[in-house]
Amino acid sequence: MIRFVDLPAQYKSIKPEIDRAVLGVLKDCRFILGPRVESFEKKFAKFCGVKHAIGVASGLEALRLPLLALGLGPQDEVIVPASTFIATAIAVSHAGAKLVLADCDRGTGNLDPEAFRRAITPRTKAVIPVHLAGQPANMGAIMKIASERGIPVLEDAAQAAGASYGGKPCGSIGLAGAFSFYPGKNLGAYGDGGAITTDDDELAARLRRLRDYGSDVKYVHVEKGWNARLDALQAAVLEVKLKRLPKWNAVRARHAKRYRELLAGVGDVSFQAPEPRAEHIYHLFCVETTRRDELAAHLKKRGVESVIHYPIPVHLQKAYADLGLEAGSFPNAERRSDRTLSLPMFPELTDAQLRGVAKAVQEFYR
Ligand SMILES: *Cc1c(COP(=O)(O)O)cnc(C)c1O
């Protein structure tokens, strides 16, 4: 069987170092925040080319806390692409603001800058472009529109650790960046985790308080914060993995190139359109086909795992029935949900496995 992501293979490749890092935490029992979290935060900030990284409990918290820091009320609107993982939308709802969806670009699947522009109202208080699959959104156009109107940009970089746009790392382009270290992400912890990146000193200090009960000094609480901290076990694991991330991302890009060579012209398969000026790190390798469900079933029969990212766009989820948006509201996002399929993609994928996946796809269309 060819797995979609093979985490055991990755663990095997770094086992001695991971084991040592985890045992180190078990020995000194400093489990919450502390020196290991600080050390990881410093390294991750440097990696993203920003002054501050704030470790948090998940990608959702990494999105929610910066929105809370903006002090949004129920009338304030935050623009989010309709094609994303639900967390991007839920963060807005949980921050107490109004979710406004915009369609994605048909080719890249990322927020369409013109759809963003059309969704702006006098109450727009933030926009969250998502770097889907590891390919940066069109940040040139999005930053231009946002800065003309003074709209803060929060990057959802949950799938894009190490990706960059115009030479700038994701998470360093907007006011802040939100990362997820969910185990399957390209930088994955051994549990839940996330981080916020920013160059803004004041925002960083506020976020550190918000993640830890509104406190800078133990038992002194200046506001009603949350418990949204990164723990030391995750930080220790992440520090080991971060060192290898540039190499792993490069291998992903090589796999993607191989897939494109092997699948070019096969059936009606097409690929995520490249975003000019963006460096894609291929957290996911997505193909588009009108026969998506049949293809996925065929792959499964051949022992190849695949995943749909995502089968239902945000506006058609039951959780967001209250938006009152029907099918047809965001044609590009809906088209993606009907047609895209993600193929196995992880650094340890061997060329034989990759050729096996490609062969199974070719066989389906023959
Ligand atoms: C994974 C993901 C998140 C949420 O991350 P969690 O750590 O699972 O909370 C948010 N946005 C996107 C685009 C993601 O892929």
Side-chain angles (χ1 to χ4, degrees), residues 58-60 63 84-85 87-88 130 156 158-159 180-182 185 192-193 310:
S58 67
L60 175 64
L63 289 161
T84 182
F85 178 59
T88 325
V130 182
D156 183 340
Q159 302 185 4
S180 163
F181 304 131
Y182 180 83
K185 296 286 157 77
D192 275 312
Y310 297 91

Side-chain angles (χ1 to χ4, degrees), residues 252-262 282 285:
R252 285 173 183 275
R254 217 159 62 216
H255 290 339
K257 192 162 166 269
R258 270 301 265 156
Y259 267 137
R260 281 172 188 267
E261 285 164 7
L262 294 169
Y282 292 95
F285 185 81

Side-chain angles (χ1 to χ4, degrees), residues 225-297:
W226 276 262
N227 176 351
R229 302 170 299 221
L230 181 67
D231 71 72
L233 273 171
Q234 305 312 332
V237 166
L238 288 164
E239 195 166 326
V240 171
K241 288 195 176 191
L242 181 61
K243 273 192 293 198
R244 290 163 170 94
L245 190 58
K247 198 179 111 202
W248 283 341
N249 282 345
V251 175
R252 285 173 183 275
R254 217 159 62 216
H255 290 339
K257 192 162 166 269
R258 270 301 265 156
Y259 267 137
R260 281 172 188 267
E261 285 164 7
L262 294 169
L263 297 177
V266 173
D268 71 342
V269 166
S270 64
F271 309 111
Q272 189 183 16
E275 176 63 51
R277 303 183 62 204
E279 197 192 324
H280 195 328
I281 51 86
Y282 292 95
H283 167 55
L284 303 172
F285 185 81
C286 312
V287 296
E288 223 180 278
T289 169
T290 51
R291 297 173 64 196
R292 193 267 315 275
D293 292 341
E294 289 168 79
L295 173 61

Side-chain angles (χ1 to χ4, degrees), residues 321-334:
D322 56 348
L323 293 175
L325 292 167
E326 283 162 19
S329 303
F330 301 110
N332 292 343
E334 289 165 31

Side-chain angles (χ1 to χ4, degrees), residues 131 136-141 163-170 173 275-279:
H131 307 310
N138 182 349
M139 294 306 285
S164 60
Y165 181 92
K168 279 193 197 166
C170 288
I173 305 162
E275 176 63 51
R277 303 183 62 204
E279 197 192 324

